[in-house]
Amino acid sequence: MLISILTYRTFRKFVTENTAFVIAVFYYNIIPKNSTVPDFSNMLLWFSTLVFLSFLEFSLNRGTSARRPAFFLIAAGVSTSLLVLSYPTCIFVVLPGCIGIWLLSAAGNRLKNLLIYLGTCGVCGLGWLAYFLFHMSFRQFLDGLSEMLTDGSHDVGLLGKLKDNLSCLGVSSCC
């Protein structure tokens, strides 16, 4: 429900209120499982949506005061780290995010904006790592990481995902 409300608030800035309402209601109603079960695939959808909304807000607010765009970059960084936590292979979201920030930022703010986003991702990532290492040994952590990367429930391995993401990035950059 909260993500639907954020969707409405974001979209009403550049479409009519009725259209924004329909988009938000559509988002809420096409995923009824999301409201009851916080499994990994649902968290993937939630955090992907939050990353998208954060970057959209950043692009809409980049010409305003210095605080507003920074807030949305921090929100994108937190959302990205939660996205990667739900599906570690979503780490590939970071590169297109950085490219988008670079392209959307004014020349004098590019590095600062990248550092805000990447710094937020890094702080969150280190926080998650510290949390996990506090609750398990480093060896257990590496074994779990190895299990995630070689999980048989997904038919595409890490190198296949990397190849797919890089080819998609190449096609989208041509557009």
Side-chain angles (χ1 to χ4, degrees):
M1 176 75 106
L2 287 173
I3 295 173
S4 295
I5 292 168
L6 289 173
T7 300
Y8 169 76
R9 291 180 54 120
T10 300
F11 275 85
R12 80 170 180 206
K13 293 178 181 177
F14 57 92
V15 297
T16 66
E17 286 192 28
N18 287 339
T19 303
F21 181 74
V22 168
I23 291 169
V25 169
F26 181 74
Y27 177 82
Y28 185 75
N29 284 310
I30 63 169
I31 45 177
K33 180 180 168 188
N34 285 345
S35 61
T36 59
V37 182
D39 67 4
F40 293 117
S41 60
N42 290 337
M43 291 188 297
L44 174 78
L45 180 62
W46 294 339
F47 300 130
S48 295
T49 303
L50 289 174
V51 168
F52 170 76
L53 292 174
S54 297
F55 280 135
L56 184 58
E57 285 282 2
F58 168 72
S59 71
L60 294 172
N61 288 284
R62 61 193 162 141
T64 61
S65 71
R67 283 193 197 144
R68 287 189 62 99
F71 172 80
F72 295 115
L73 289 173
I74 291 168
V78 171
S79 300
T80 301
S81 70
L82 290 168
L83 179 63
V84 171
L85 186 62
S86 65
Y87 268 94
T89 54
C90 287
I91 190 79
F92 298 121
V93 167
V94 174
L95 179 60
C98 289
I99 292 170
I101 291 168
W102 187 265
L103 294 174
L104 291 172
S105 298
N109 292 335
R110 287 180 174 158
L111 184 60
K112 179 185 88 165
N113 289 342
L114 276 175
L115 290 175
I116 290 170
Y117 173 67
L118 290 173
T120 302
C121 290
V123 167
C124 291
L126 288 174
W128 292 123
L129 182 63
Y131 173 80
F132 289 129
L133 292 178
F134 184 72
H135 288 87
M136 65 177 67
S137 70
F138 186 68
R139 185 74 211 150
Q140 289 173 314
F141 177 78
L142 289 179
D143 289 343
L145 194 59
S146 175
E147 286 293 320
M148 284 189 299
L149 295 175
T150 59
D151 181 22
S153 66
H154 302 293
D155 59 350
V156 178
L158 181 63
L159 291 177
K161 289 178 185 172
L162 178 61
K163 183 185 76 143
D164 290 346
N165 280 285
L166 289 176
S167 63
C168 181
L169 183 62
V171 169
S172 64
S173 67
C174 291
C175 296

